Each structure stands twice: as C-alpha cells, then as structure tokens.
Amino acid sequence: MVSFAVFMSLAFLFMLFDSVDGFTYQEVLIGFAVMMLGFSLAEMFGRGFDRFPVLLGNGGFDRALVRPRNIIFQIVAGTIEFSRLGRALQAVIVFVYVIPRAGIDWTWDKVLTLVLMIVCGIVLFFTLFVLYAAFSFFTIEGLEFMHIFTDGGREHGRLPFSVYGENVLRFVTFVIPLALVQYYPLLYLLGREESILYALAPVGALLFLLPVSAFFRFGLKRYKSTGS
C-alpha cells in the first residue's frame, strides 16, 4: 500500500496539471514504471548488500570468505526478499495500462529501448547497493546518505529527471547515471529525439559497474576482521 501511494501521488498531481515539464501523464508513467520495476527487482536480490555492515560487525563476512563460493553470490543468496515482487507487480500493471495509451509507435527499436531501460535499470540499482556495501569496508557502519541514490533514486524517478533542473540532470547523467536509464531513452521512445544514442543510453549506464567493482575489490583487499 505504501508503494501504491507513490502511484496515487502521480495521479493526484495530474488531476491538477495537464503536463509536467512538457510530459503528459501517460508519458510520465512510462518512466515511473521503469524505475519502479528496476528498483524492486534489484532490491529483491540486492538487500543483502544493504545489510552488509551487520555481516562485517558480527563476523558473518569472515565465514563467507572461507567458503568456496564467490563472495557476491553468497551475499545475494543470503538475503532474497521476495516480498519486493509486490512492488514489481505494480510496475507491470502500470506498463499494461500505459503502453497502449502512450501514443508511441512501438517499432522494434523502441521495444528494444524499453527492454534496455528495464534491464539496465535493474543492474544500475543493484550496483548502487554494491557501492553502499563497499563503503562499509572503511566505515564499518553503513553510510545513510547512499539511500539518497537507491530509495531516493526510485522516488525522484517518478518524474523525468529534467523536472529537477539542469544541475540535478547533470549529476544523474555523469555521476550516478540514473538519467541514462530513464530520461534520455524516454525522449527517444516519445519521438522527441531521433539519435540512436538516446536509445542506447541505458547501455552507457553499465559503465558505472567498472568503478564500483574496482572500489569493492579495493575495500575487500583491505578488509580486516573484527575478531567477532
């Protein structure tokens, strides 16, 4: 019901306004559904990283290190929250509602763009959970500001990121590339941009994996047991 309230807030908003920053209700719902589906599936498999500081503090991470399995796999398999499927189902329902009503000519390239938005969105949010865990190697406790980019990214992704101004749009393009899986490919879907680069923008978001992966390995090499 809490996540459904997010959808209702959009519905109430568009009872007052015909468009927001030039985007209609149906157009906004596409970006909203992409972000909600991407976050919910990433959260379902990535919540183990959100609880990573607890593993570091109680010695659970030491046990994981001596097992003959990949450490990322162990963290993922240790905590899978299937309750997040409820939020994912809501996103699917929104897709079923909005796809035939958005006025988009669903050619093969636009279908591919939508698939890339969803898949790369899942990977990007999952990577943000890994980044949160990587910081824990140096702080022991988790850094709450990271929730600005995970839960906050989902919340602000209700609307196209251009709504929040140029400075925010630059940040979510070049630093935490959330706009690459939502705003830019959405412009291509709506026919406002014709360059294939906008359609392939979600693939660019995958480059975020490289620094995060390197940072996680850097922290792992310098990890010292708590002795618990």
Side-chain angles (χ1 to χ4, degrees):
M1 291 301 296
V2 171
S3 57
F4 182 70
V6 178
F7 168 75
M8 292 304 299
S9 69
L10 282 179
F12 292 143
L13 176 66
F14 281 93
M15 287 180 182
L16 301 175
F17 303 98
D18 293 330
S19 64
V20 175
D21 197 33
F23 293 90
T24 65
Y25 180 48
Q26 287 76 17
E27 293 170 348
V28 166
L29 283 183
I30 294 176
F32 165 78
V34 166
M35 297 299 282
M36 177 175 278
L37 184 59
F39 179 84
S40 59
L41 293 180
E43 185 182 36
M44 183 171 68
F45 293 101
R47 267 306 175 191
F49 294 100
D50 198 34
R51 297 170 179 170
F52 192 69
V54 177
L55 285 178
L56 295 181
N58 63 16
F61 189 66
D62 294 345
R63 292 192 296 272
L65 288 175
V66 299
R67 292 171 182 154
R69 289 290 182 272
N70 179 273
I71 192 65
I72 299 294
F73 172 78
Q74 290 188 63
I75 297 171
V76 170
T79 306
I80 299 178
E81 296 188 353
F82 289 104
S83 60
R84 306 304 176 184
L85 286 174
R87 186 181 288 144
L89 178 60
Q90 289 184 38
V92 172
I93 292 172
V94 172
F95 273 126
V96 171
Y97 166 79
V98 75
I99 284 177
R101 294 173 175 83
I104 298 174
D105 181 17
W106 290 102
T107 54
W108 69 268
D109 57 315
K110 293 189 175 180
V111 172
L112 177 61
T113 299
L114 183 60
V115 172
L116 287 176
M117 291 170 72
I118 295 171
V119 173
C120 295
I122 295 170
V123 174
L124 178 58
F125 275 117
F126 183 86
T127 304
L128 288 172
F129 284 117
V130 175
L131 179 60
Y132 173 84
F135 275 115
S136 301
F137 283 122
F138 307 97
T139 62
I140 303 302
E141 295 295 330
L143 297 178
E144 289 300 318
F145 82 87
M146 282 300 302
H147 291 297
I148 296 174
F149 308 121
T150 51
D151 298 270
R154 179 202 67 211
E155 290 296 318
H156 287 83
R158 293 179 296 175
L159 297 169
F161 284 109
S162 60
V163 170
Y164 306 108
E166 291 185 3
N167 290 332
V168 172
L169 183 58
R170 290 192 189 99
F171 183 83
V172 295
T173 298
F174 300 108
V175 182
I176 307 294
L178 292 166
L180 296 185
V181 299
Q182 187 241 44
Y183 176 66
Y184 297 107
L186 181 61
L187 295 180
Y188 184 82
L189 289 181
L190 301 178
R192 300 184 186 184
E193 296 290 346
E194 297 182 357
S195 172
I196 194 66
L197 294 178
Y198 283 80
L200 298 177
V203 178
L206 299 182
L207 294 175
F208 191 61
L209 279 165
L210 300 178
V212 172
S213 177
F215 184 52
F216 186 87
R217 290 196 301 269
F218 176 77
L220 183 61
K221 289 179 179 179
R222 283 154 181 77
Y223 166 71
K224 293 182 180 180
S225 173
T226 61
S228 302

